[in-house]
């Protein structure tokens, strides 16, 4: 047991969250995280129809009796997304926790709160965290520059962002971006967070429903193996470095304003999906974090969470306690 405001809020044993992972955070992975004492969030946009999300929620409920949640990311997309339909499904299916990301969930807050749903908003700056608190979010997941996916445009690393956010907010905060082991969990708690969020680390687990080729690529890569694409569109994404990424960066470096149409054939989520299903990591652009430098194996989710908690507890009980005498 590692008790924090986050474990209390979600009713879980350990302050470890698996946040939204496009195409990957489905019932297999999220239920495994919840069963292991953390909490998994399934990514709504993975399911093109709201009814497919409904089926996945029911499937997940059949795989765990522990709390789990749904991620709703409000970022630009190549296809139209019917957010209200996803929200209706979450409410109808009795979902208790929603992780929002990408843009303020303000317009949906009243509906979510009246349905008794707790909202954790993932953002990348203190000003957005303060706004989330102001509009009634129950917690904030603060995403440092190390993170996979969209780190925002301020480039502030977790080491700075987490304590500044902890100082500024009254509601619980979760440290996200760069976390993958017990040392990171202790570090996050020391910086004032109430828990950690992990994405890339959970992709390299047995239960993650992706091809083993991708998992092995994450093990083989290191902390220098990411690049930032779409900076020219102010929609920066940290991704695994490959040849497609170099092509995107080449287009973005050319004179003149880059338009999404110029790079859409390369950054499309459909290619990322093919990478996840087929394991050929040269096939598309997909999110991955600097935490790859800390990923050396593909354990089960339970092995991973047990190891993180046991290492964290050992550091707190022995190394740190002994240090103060
Ligand atoms: P997609 O195929 O719709 O789009 C591919 C990429 O292009 C995404 O990064 C998207 O944000 C970007 N994009 C699309 N239209 C854009 C525009 N008009 N201007 C600027 N950028 C644009 O994406 P998908 O794979 O189907 O994913 C669905 C959503 O989930 C997207 O919004 C994506 O950004 C988001 N996502 C978030 C994370 C994360 O780290 N939070 C990771 C993966 C995907």
């Amino acid at each position: 047991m590692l008790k924090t405001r986050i474990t209390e809020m979600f009713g879980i044993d350990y302050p470890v969250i698996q946040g939204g992972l496009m195409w990957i955070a489905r019932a297999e992975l999220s239920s495994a995280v919840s069963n292991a004492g953390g909490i998994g969030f399934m990514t709504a946009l993975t399911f093109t129809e709201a009814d497919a999300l409904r089926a996945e929620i029911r499937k997940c409920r059949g795989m765990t009796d522990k709390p789990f949640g749904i991620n709703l990311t409000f970022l630009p997309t190549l296809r139209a997304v019917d957010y209200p339909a996803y929200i209706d499904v979450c409410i109808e299916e009795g979902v208790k926790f929603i992780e929002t990301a990408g843009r303020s969930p303000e317009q949906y807050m009243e509906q979510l709160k009246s349905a008794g749903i707790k909202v954790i908003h993932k953002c990348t700056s203190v000003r957005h965290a303060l706004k989330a608190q102001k509009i009634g979010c129950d917690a904030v997941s603060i995403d440092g520059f190390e993170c996979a996916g969209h780190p925002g445009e301020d480039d502030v690393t977790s080491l700075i962002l987490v304590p500044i956010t902890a100082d500024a907010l009254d509601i619980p905060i979760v440290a996200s971006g760069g976390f993958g082991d017990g040392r990171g969990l202790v570090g996050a708690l020391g910086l004032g967070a109430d828990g950690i969020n992990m994405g890339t680390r959970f992709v390299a687990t047995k239960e993650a429903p992706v091809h083993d080729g991708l998992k092995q690529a994450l093990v083989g890569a290191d902390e220098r193996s990411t690049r930032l694409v779409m900076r020219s569109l102010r929609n920066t994404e940290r991704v695994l470095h490959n040849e497609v990424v170099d092509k995107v960066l080449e287009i973005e470096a050319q004179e003149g304003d880059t338009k999404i149409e110029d790079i859409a054939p390369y950054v499309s989520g459909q290619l990322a999906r093919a990478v996840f299903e087929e394991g050929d990591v040269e096939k598309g652009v997909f999110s991955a974090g600097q935490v790859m430098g800390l990923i050396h194996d593909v354990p089960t989710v339970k092995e991973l969470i047990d190891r993180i908690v046991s290492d964290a507890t050992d550091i707190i009980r022995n190394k740190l306690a002994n240090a103060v005498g």
Side-chain angles (χ1 to χ4, degrees):
M1 193 88 177
L2 248 178
K3 209 163 132 185
T4 70
R5 292 188 296 173
I6 279 294
T7 58
E8 301 280 287
M9 175 179 145
F10 290 120
I12 55 178
D13 291 338
Y14 309 125
V16 177
I17 295 178
Q18 167 261 303
L21 291 159
M22 189 62 196
W23 307 117
I24 301 174
R26 303 201 298 260
E28 293 83 358
L29 178 60
S30 299
S31 68
V33 174
S34 295
N35 282 332
I39 182 166
F41 283 82
M42 298 198 296
T43 304
L45 268 57
T46 295
F47 308 97
T48 35
E49 301 298 328
D51 267 338
L53 173 63
R54 186 192 306 282
E56 197 73 6
I57 292 170
R58 292 180 182 179
K59 180 175 169 184
C60 194
R61 204 157 271 145
M63 297 172 82
T64 183
D65 53 8
K66 300 278 175 58
F68 65 89
I70 300 297
N71 162 279
L72 274 174
T73 296
F74 309 112
L75 280 168
T77 46
L78 296 175
R79 60 193 151 104
V81 176
D82 188 355
Y83 289 103
Y86 289 121
I87 290 175
D88 286 348
V89 161
C90 289
I91 293 172
E92 286 159 20
E93 293 300 313
V95 167
K96 296 276 174 283
F97 304 108
I98 286 189
E99 177 194 64
T100 55
R103 190 163 42 83
S104 168
E106 187 166 12
Q107 71 186 105
Y108 303 112
M109 284 305 286
E110 205 180 306
Q111 192 186 5
L112 295 174
K113 298 306 316 178
S114 351
I117 293 175
K118 287 202 160 44
V119 178
I120 177 166
H121 181 59
K122 189 193 283 179
C123 55
T124 58
S125 72
V126 183
R127 62 190 186 281
H128 293 147
L130 281 166
K131 172 80 190 287
Q133 174 172 273
K134 191 171 166 202
I135 64 171
C137 289
D138 299 280
V140 158
S141 190
I142 190 78
D143 221 1
F145 189 47
E146 302 91 329
C147 73
H150 298 267
E153 311 302 324
D154 290 346
D155 302 357
V156 182
T157 58
S158 293
L159 197 55
I160 304 300
L161 197 52
V162 173
I164 293 176
T165 309
D167 284 346
L169 266 58
D170 298 319
I171 56 176
I173 70 162
V174 171
S176 179
F179 297 97
D181 62 20
R183 295 170 297 185
L185 174 53
V186 176
L189 298 177
L191 292 170
D194 303 279
I196 54 170
N197 176 77
M198 303 195 300
T200 309
R201 176 62 269 201
F202 276 127
V203 180
T205 59
K206 292 226 163 49
E207 292 90 338
V210 296
H211 195 282
D212 195 51
L214 171 65
K215 299 178 189 182
Q216 295 308 326
L218 299 180
V219 171
D222 66 24
E223 66 281 10
R224 297 163 303 169
S225 307
T226 72
R227 292 293 182 274
L228 299 170
V229 295
M230 293 190 288
R231 184 125 264 194
S232 58
L233 298 174
R234 292 191 61 76
N235 185 25
T236 301
E237 182 181 6
R238 186 182 294 283
V239 297
L240 185 84
H241 186 199
N242 63 19
E243 282 179 18
V244 194
V245 168
D246 279 338
K247 181 70 195 163
V248 173
L249 291 174
E250 194 184 305
I251 296 170
E252 290 191 274
Q254 283 162 11
E255 296 253 335
D257 288 343
T258 310
K259 298 190 182 54
I260 183 64
E261 298 78 43
D262 301 332
I263 56 170
Y266 306 100
V267 300
S268 161
Q270 295 305 323
L271 293 183
R273 183 182 196 171
V275 168
F276 301 156
E277 284 172 5
E278 295 160 26
D280 179 359
V281 294
E282 289 297 327
K283 215 162 180 173
V285 172
F286 58 95
S287 298
Q290 292 181 337
V291 75
M292 287 187 294
L294 295 172
I295 299 178
H296 308 302
D297 61 357
V298 181
T300 65
V301 165
K302 179 165 168 41
E303 285 164 353
L304 177 64
I305 292 184
D306 282 352
R307 188 202 302 166
I308 288 173
V309 171
S310 142
D311 288 352
T313 312
D314 181 55
I315 294 170
I316 296 165
R317 284 215 180 107
N318 301 315
K319 200 170 174 185
L320 297 183
N322 289 341
V324 289

